[in-house]
Amino acid sequence: MNGRLWTADDTATLRRMAGAGYSDGEIASHLGFARETVTRRRLTLGYVASLKLGWRRRFVRDVRIAA
């Protein structure tokens, strides 16, 4: 295992961002993990991947992620 461990705050942020439609790459950039790490964690927790909906993504980016 490389890097840091997931905290409860990291997991909560992943849940909020995945629910808001952010991609695994965007979540990884925000949290400081590799995209593959975020994908594995999301799948382990049973969260659904973001659907790329084109026009919707403009609005999704405006959603503020509470820290």
Side-chain angles (χ1 to χ4, degrees):
M1 180 169 69
N2 253 346
R4 63 185 180 91
L5 298 175
W6 284 85
T7 66
D9 289 339
D10 292 335
T11 302
T13 300
L14 168 63
R15 180 183 48 80
R16 285 192 300 272
M17 290 183 78
Y22 285 88
S23 70
D24 289 346
E26 291 168 323
I27 297 168
S29 293
H30 181 77
L31 293 175
F33 288 107
R35 182 188 52 79
E36 295 83 4
T37 302
V38 170
T39 300
R40 278 193 306 272
R41 182 70 171 178
R42 181 182 49 73
L43 290 172
T44 298
L45 296 171
Y47 301 147
V48 178
S50 169
L51 299 176
K52 302 290 183 181
L53 299 178
W55 63 270
R56 181 175 174 264
R57 302 217 9 102
R58 286 184 302 205
F59 300 106
V60 169
R61 288 190 187 280
D62 293 335
V63 174
R64 294 196 67 189
I65 303 301

